[in-house]
Amino acid sequence: MYAATKSRRVFPHLCNLRHRLSYVAGIETSCDDTGIAIVDSNGRVRGNVLESQQEFHTRYGGIIPPRAQDLHRLRIKDAFERCLQEAGLAAEELTAIAVTTRPGLPLSLLIGLRFARHLARKYNKPLLPVHHMEAHAIQARMEHIADIEYPFLCLLISGGHCQLAIVRGPGRLTLLGETLDDAPGEAFDKIARRLRLYVLPQYRLWNGGRAIEHAAKSAKDPLAYDFPLPLAQQRNCNFSFAGIKNNSFRAIRARELAERTPPDGVISNYADFCAGLLQAVSRHLMHRTQRALEYCLDPKNHSFGDAHPTLVVSGGVANNDAIFANIEHVAKAYNCRCYRPSKKYCSDNGVMIAWHGIEQLLYDSVKNLRYDLDSIDIQGQAGFLNSSVDDVTGAAIKCKWVQPIGLLPSVAHACHS
Ligand code: KG4
Ligand code: ZN
């Protein structure tokens, strides 16, 4: 069946993939979630198993990489078997195995790759390496295939990344800007921990971003806290969250001292604080995204080509309704469509990896699918194929800011930059 050389295998039956239903298993272990899913080439999710380690790591105040590795190792085989069962498929019926190989925690990535390699050998299937952030970027196409054509603009906001990129297909992303320090999810997690939101029973097992979003809804005085607008003088599409984070730590400390908050307590107006924080993060994301839209729509750059201008927001922070509503509002001001994946697919999961695998099969030429299993390796850090960051910086686009909705009006000094 297979034309095989000593160490390189070719899979000629993949040539007619566009004409028959295929099934790809996706394996995600880049951080602290063991995700395994099977997606078919029509974008239907056949099986989806997600084992979160959140409860374990919450006890220790953050992810401990060797423990995360142990838990992936312990759970991965059972998760795969349950996924096959849910899909009603045998491993032999899979068309390919897709696995996150980059970027992520190396110890965690290794478990996924070793398991995927084992499956690929045992069942003689091609192994498709997947870039985790690319998978976030193209995930929304699975549910909106008719509406989201390539190329589109993507805002990737997660616990480890904050990037704006033009997405032309799997493996074909061009970076427009990225964070110079923290990612927004990371900032939310650290600030929520410093606030000690976890002592409140309802937030005990929630991630920081989700807890802050929920707490902000009960704010009585959302103006109580003011945060600096990061990189206001830099007319590019980069981000920075370290200033907001450090400002938060200082403000919480000052309030604790003033209120004599006990060491296991939470400041009384934590909801007001969360509302101010959410507003500051939203505004920064809005500004950089607006500039990226102006760059893409500039006839000189013509970044959307003949496609309808489309913006996709993805990654764990895309779960946030206030942030998404504001980004969507910016997009609408430019007659640009805006999408995000369903909430269950915004955060890390196996479905996005399987879908990236399906797109690789559909859009990559068969020659790219000749994989030497041993040559595929993990990479803790990995960027995108191209970068236009210098070009965006050189363009120094001045924007008339779209005003936020659902939050507070922008402060006067932030109206133009
Ligand atoms: O994409 P993801 O699941 O993992 C990474 O690739 O990093 O993102 C996880 C991040 C966490 O930092 C978490 O605080 C954030 O997503 N997050 C949220 C919300 N839900 C999850 N941030 C803001 N609002 C939310 N509702
Ligand atoms: Zn992620």
Side-chain angles (χ1 to χ4, degrees), residues 279-406:
Q279 176 184 279
V281 171
S282 292
R283 194 188 299 142
H284 183 42
L285 293 169
M286 285 173 79
H287 286 187
R288 315 316 270 191
T289 305
Q290 183 175 341
R291 182 170 285 119
L293 274 170
E294 293 224 0
Y295 176 85
C296 290
L297 289 166
D298 184 332
K300 234 181 24 250
N301 302 318
H302 195 52
S303 307
F304 293 115
D306 295 330
H308 191 288
T310 303
L311 170 66
V312 171
V313 188
S314 199
V317 181
N319 276 302
N320 192 295
D321 292 330
I323 290 176
F324 180 72
N326 272 292
I327 299 293
E328 186 181 38
H329 179 59
V330 172
K332 284 192 174 146
Y334 287 84
N335 191 25
C336 175
R337 296 172 178 155
C338 189
Y339 298 92
R340 63 174 161 175
S342 303
K343 287 200 175 184
K344 58 180 181 286
Y345 301 138
C346 280
S347 302
D348 293 353
N349 62 83
V351 173
M352 68 186 207
I353 307 305
W355 175 250
H356 191 286
I358 293 280
E359 291 228 17
Q360 285 191 53
L361 292 181
L362 293 175
Y363 299 110
D364 280 6
S365 63
V366 170
K367 92 175 160 4
N368 289 339
L369 295 172
R370 299 168 180 210
Y371 288 127
D372 171 359
L373 298 187
D374 291 318
S375 73
I376 297 174
D377 209 349
I378 57 149
Q379 269 175 277
Q381 309 227 334
F384 298 139
L385 182 68
N386 295 307
S387 171
S388 290
V389 171
D390 290 346
D391 198 41
V392 171
T393 304
I397 298 166
K398 187 175 176 181
C399 302
K400 185 172 185 328
W401 299 127
V402 173
Q403 295 302 299
I405 49 160

Side-chain angles (χ1 to χ4, degrees), residues 226-243:
D226 198 17
F227 293 84
L229 184 68
L231 308 182
Q233 306 310 319
Q234 294 188 27
R235 288 196 191 138
N236 56 32
C237 292
N238 289 329
F239 302 84
S240 168
F241 295 93

